[in-house]
Amino acid sequence: VRLGTTIPESAFVLFQMTFAVVTPALMIGAWVERARFSWVVVFCALWSLVVYAPVAHWIWGGGWLASTFGTLDFAGGLVVHTTAGVSALVVAIMMDRRQGFPDKPMIPHAPGLTMIGAALLWVGWFGFNGGSALAATDDASSAIINTHVAAATAAMVWLLIERIAFGKATMIGWATGAIAGLATITPAAAYVSPGAAILFGALAAVVCYMAILQIRRIGVDDSLDVFAVHGVGGILGSLLLGLFVSSALGGIGYADGMTPGSQLGAQALGVAVVALWSAVLTGILALAVGIVAPMRVRKKD
């Protein structure tokens, strides 16, 4: 049995493996249509060891961010979404844009498939966030409720933003909004109230939408808006957690010795450390692997 839980060690290993596997999968969406497959395979394997594994230990494995400073991350706002989002942005900048970007319209060819994928992701997220309680308890059910509420709120607010901005809501907007809400509630899923989850979802839609506009304005070709949705969402949720974990706001309350100010500081420190670690190590790894296998496919390909 895993120490401190009622689940087998093997079940814990399998569960943690899913986090380690899904994080690079999120990241590579930023480079579609131009990344060389051999480079991606080698880079992601090394990235999982050099970037992901240390961060997972610092926060989930009794490492210094959690044990010394009290940084919280229930299901991966920092460990998964911040690492993947920041790393995706760094590589997208290094790999440069797709041909024709941003002048040529690059509209998703099958919004229906996007909807199906988003729906599968939404339901699968219940397993990640609820499962992070490591037991069938109130923490697990609360995490699932908050996950659903935040995703639904963010999807609806995103549709409202599109309606106001363009006069028409879209299927892609619904899917993007839902994922923004899912990423934002992830670090706080079992720590805050359903009312707070509604606010997390609404803010996720507004902030991530603005982040997408800004990233595109500066000319970065992040094909699936990985940084603006996953990275910014994970960072936003991690910071909001510092305030809404308060019992006065319906959260589970602060740990002994922690105050709203110190918890917010611990969350900000976690964001800064994880983002910096991810950016620097990703840049070094990307260049190193590029010596063996070029990052980008040939222009003809």
Side-chain angles (χ1 to χ4, degrees):
V1 175
R2 170 71 181 177
L3 184 63
T5 73
T6 58
I7 63 174
E9 182 79 14
S10 56
F12 182 78
V13 169
L14 285 169
F15 186 60
Q16 287 299 319
M17 185 182 71
T18 61
F19 280 102
V21 168
V22 78
T23 309
L26 298 177
M27 180 170 59
I28 63 176
W31 330 313
V32 296
E33 297 188 2
R34 60 197 188 278
R36 186 181 291 268
F37 181 70
S38 58
W39 180 88
V40 170
V41 171
V42 177
F43 172 77
C44 287
L46 294 174
W47 185 91
S48 297
L49 293 174
V50 175
V51 177
Y52 177 86
V55 174
H57 173 70
W58 294 342
I59 297 174
W60 289 342
W64 63 281
L65 278 176
S67 61
T68 303
F69 294 98
T71 302
L72 297 175
D73 182 4
F74 184 72
L78 291 172
V79 176
V80 174
H81 298 285
T82 301
T83 58
V86 171
S87 298
L89 180 65
V90 169
V91 174
I93 293 171
M94 296 174 68
M95 199 171 287
D96 207 2
R97 310 170 184 179
R98 288 168 289 178
Q99 291 185 36
F101 181 92
D103 301 320
K104 178 183 176 182
M106 297 181 177
I107 302 169
H109 75 282
L113 293 179
T114 301
M115 289 280 285
I116 293 170
L120 291 170
L121 192 60
W122 189 328
V123 175
W125 219 293
F126 296 155
F128 276 115
N129 285 6
S132 292
L134 303 179
T137 61
D138 179 59
D139 285 345
S141 54
S142 294
I144 293 172
I145 290 170
N146 288 338
T147 299
H148 192 55
V149 166
T153 302
M156 296 304 293
V157 171
W158 199 288
L159 293 180
L160 177 62
I161 293 172
E162 287 190 326
R163 179 73 176 178
I164 294 171
F166 307 113
K168 178 183 179 182
T170 67
M171 297 168 72
I172 300 297
W174 174 89
T176 307
I179 294 169
L182 290 165
T184 302
I185 195 60
T186 290
Y191 297 146
V192 301
S193 68
I198 294 174
L199 180 61
F200 274 57
L203 289 174
V206 173
V207 174
C208 293
Y209 184 86
M210 293 173 62
I212 288 176
L213 296 181
Q214 186 60 37
I215 292 297
R216 292 178 181 174
R217 186 174 293 118
I218 63 178
V220 176
D221 185 10
D222 179 345
S223 309
L224 297 186
D225 301 314
V226 178
F227 173 73
V229 174
H230 291 278
V232 171
I235 290 170
L236 175 64
S238 298
L239 295 175
L240 290 174
L241 164 59
L243 298 176
F244 286 91
V245 72
S246 169
S247 57
L249 296 175
I252 64 170
Y254 295 102
D256 290 342
M258 298 297 285
T259 64
S262 63
Q263 189 66 62
L264 186 58
Q267 298 307 115
L269 175 66
V271 167
V273 168
V274 171
L276 182 62
W277 177 264
S278 300
V280 172
L281 271 295
T282 293
I284 294 172
L285 272 179
L287 290 173
V289 177
I291 296 172
V292 179
M295 296 174 65
R296 191 179 173 108
V297 296
R298 295 175 301 171
K299 186 175 181 179
K300 179 181 177 181
D301 295 330

